[in-house]
Structures are given as structure tokens and as C-alpha cells.
Amino acid sequence: MTSERSQLYYTCVFLQVSFQAIESSVMARSDERSRCWLDAQTLQMLLGELQRCRRSASPFKPVHAPLEEAIYHCGLLMAQCPGALDQRLCRHHLQAIGAPLGQAARHLSVTHQTPPSSPRFRTWFGR
């Protein structure tokens, strides 16, 4: 894995875990109909990092769509936050941000190497 790909992978994982932590704190509240009061500054910081991550992902086409989807849902969440969402809708947006981040991280973690083609390696692998 190249250093650029590795850094992008860890950024996606960091963002996914951050949004999952926020979701966990929202789920910890007992009344689902109560308003969701998220820290708008934290969300703004994470959105900025998400946008920076998308810019850094320019060489990795397959992660563009998942990152765009995460940015879109984060923007929707920011437009309605704080206090305009109930907890159910807030969790929906947080999950809609985390899922594509996980998809991007999974794609970045896959190494695209072709199997060795020399007869010695084929024998070693049992082919």
C-alpha cells in the first residue's frame, strides 16, 4: 500500500469511527422523539476533514462516490443541526455518513497485486 493510499485509508477509518462515536452518543439518549443536540463545531471540523479527504482521493476513482455520498449526508446533517432533527433522523444521517466511509476504507485496504506468474511460485502455491 502506498503511503498516500495508506494515509487516505486511515483518514477514512478515523472519520468513520468519529461519526460512529457521535451516533453512539445520540443512541445513548432514552427518548427517541427528543431533539438531537449535536456539537455543530465538531461536525463542521469533521465535514472539513471529509472534504479534504475527498480532494486527496483524486487518484483513487472508486472511492470518489462513497466520499461524495458521505459529504452529501454530512451537509444535510449540518443544514438541520443543531436542534432541528429528532434523534431517529439524526441517526439516519450519521449512519448514511458512516456506511460510505466504511466502503471507501474497505476499497483502500485492498491491495491490487497480480499473483506471481513464475513456475516456481505456481508450484509453491500448489497450482
Side-chain angles (χ1 to χ4, degrees):
M1 186 182 292
T2 65
S3 64
E4 183 180 345
R5 185 182 189 113
S6 179
Q7 183 177 4
L8 191 59
Y9 166 77
Y10 286 113
T11 301
C12 287
V13 169
F14 163 76
L15 288 166
Q16 182 185 23
V17 169
S18 296
F19 282 107
Q20 286 173 342
I22 292 170
E23 181 187 350
S24 292
S25 72
V26 169
M27 290 178 67
R29 299 196 179 132
S30 60
D31 186 10
E32 192 168 295
R33 290 169 283 146
S34 67
R35 292 286 175 223
C36 179
W37 291 93
L38 295 177
D39 179 10
Q41 287 182 328
T42 300
L43 286 178
Q44 187 65 42
M45 184 268 307
L46 290 172
L47 177 59
E49 188 63 22
L50 190 53
Q51 290 167 333
R52 190 195 63 72
C53 181
R54 170 55 184 91
R55 285 189 303 274
S56 299
S58 60
F60 308 102
K61 278 197 165 221
V63 299
H64 292 183
L67 292 176
E68 289 292 334
E69 184 179 346
I71 288 169
Y72 171 76
H73 280 283
C74 193
L76 286 177
L77 182 60
M78 288 294 299
Q80 300 172 0
C81 199
L85 296 173
D86 62 24
Q87 289 183 26
R88 183 191 57 77
L89 191 52
C90 184
R91 280 197 316 263
H92 166 76
H93 283 305
L94 290 168
Q95 290 169 351
I97 296 166
L101 285 170
Q103 182 183 359
R106 281 188 299 279
H107 176 76
L108 290 165
S109 70
V110 174
T111 56
H112 299 286
Q113 297 177 352
T114 57
S117 59
S118 77
R120 187 179 84 193
F121 284 118
R122 280 191 296 239
T123 305
W124 187 74
F125 283 113
R127 294 183 183 162

